């Protein structure tokens, strides 16, 4: 298994729409394990395959409880689809692909997701609060959407200017 490099904004590959997974084989299981190891190593709350340049509809998310060590339980969802959303919450989000930025994002308070496991079996999951945010954030990645797309234009523009400035500084040194 491997810790994979995470693509960073503004890499255009982060904007690709991912393909549905059709082969539930050893290669998929290996990718899921690599995603888990990469997420835990980063560390992050979730990770989508497109973030490691694998444009497939698979995500992993930390699902440990408050009294459990981080990374103890990692949930894998293949071909996840949000089938119901309810309520609203504002959650301060960050992203492993969008470094040095956290911002409040409006999200549904409760989501119901259908997905497949690594064998192809279907299941349904209803999540609230933080778990709901992670699912929405990671499923957005599968559609080429970044949390930057969900914040105010002012914050987005400030981040882009900061990023350009740091890239210019890096080129000079």
């Amino acid at each position: 298994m491997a810790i994979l490099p995470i693509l960073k904004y503004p890499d255009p590959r982060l904007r690709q729409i991912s393909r549905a997974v059709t082969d539930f084989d050893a290669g998929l299981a290996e990718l899921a394990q690599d995603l888990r190891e990469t997420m835990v190593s980063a560390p992050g709350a979730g990770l989508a395959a497109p973030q490691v340049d694998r444009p497939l509809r698979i995500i992993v998310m930390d699902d440990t409880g408050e009294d459990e060590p981080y990374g103890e339980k990692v949930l894998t969802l293949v071909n996840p689809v949000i089938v119901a959303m309810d309520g609203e919450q504002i959650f301060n989000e960050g992203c492993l692909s969008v470094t040095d930025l956290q911002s409040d994002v409006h999200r549904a308070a409760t989501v119901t997701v259908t997905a497949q496991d690594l064998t192809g079996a279907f299941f349904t999951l209803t999540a609230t609060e933080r778990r709901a945010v992670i699912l929405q954030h990671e499923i957005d990645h599968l559609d080429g959407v970044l949390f930057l797309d969900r914040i105010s234009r002012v914050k987005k523009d400030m981040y882009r200017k900061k990023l350009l400035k740091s890239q210019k500084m890096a080129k000079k040194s």
Side-chain angles (χ1 to χ4, degrees):
M1 302 307 137
I3 295 173
L4 304 171
I6 297 172
L7 299 178
K8 303 296 183 202
Y9 176 82
D11 192 307
R13 293 172 288 181
L14 291 168
R15 297 299 191 171
Q16 292 179 341
I17 296 174
S18 298
R19 306 184 302 277
V21 172
T22 56
D23 295 325
F24 294 83
D25 56 12
L28 180 64
E30 184 176 334
L31 174 58
Q33 184 62 36
D34 290 347
L35 287 170
R36 283 187 202 107
E37 289 180 19
T38 303
M39 179 194 73
V40 170
S41 171
L47 187 66
Q51 290 179 271
V52 295
D53 199 21
R54 308 297 194 282
L56 294 170
R57 298 190 77 79
I58 177 173
I59 65 172
V60 294
M61 64 179 277
D62 178 52
D63 201 31
T64 51
E66 288 182 28
D67 298 331
E68 299 170 304
Y70 166 73
E72 186 78 16
K73 291 181 188 169
V74 176
L75 185 61
T76 301
L77 293 92
V78 181
N79 299 324
V81 176
I82 296 173
V83 295
M85 303 170 94
D86 189 42
E88 184 179 317
Q89 65 178 316
I90 299 172
F91 201 90
N92 190 266
E93 294 184 33
C95 181
L96 295 174
S97 291
V98 182
T99 55
D100 300 324
L101 177 67
Q102 290 190 325
S103 186
D104 288 343
V105 179
H106 291 262
R107 297 279 189 184
T110 303
V111 295
T112 300
V113 175
T114 59
Q116 292 169 276
D117 65 17
L118 293 173
T119 69
F122 284 89
F123 66 95
T124 300
L125 170 69
T126 298
T128 60
E129 300 172 352
R130 180 177 180 270
R131 290 176 80 216
V133 169
I134 296 167
L135 285 166
Q136 292 168 84
H137 180 111
E138 299 308 330
I139 292 170
D140 272 356
H141 276 296
L142 303 179
D143 296 321
V145 175
L146 301 175
F147 93 103
L148 274 175
D149 302 325
R150 300 192 181 280
I151 66 175
S152 75
R153 169 169 264 147
V154 171
K155 285 185 181 180
K156 192 182 320 184
D157 288 345
M158 286 174 42
Y159 177 71
R160 286 181 179 149
K161 287 176 186 175
K162 178 182 170 184
L163 185 64
L164 285 172
K165 184 177 179 180
S166 67
Q167 288 172 342
K168 286 179 184 178
M169 298 286 282
K171 285 182 182 179
K172 286 182 180 179
S173 48

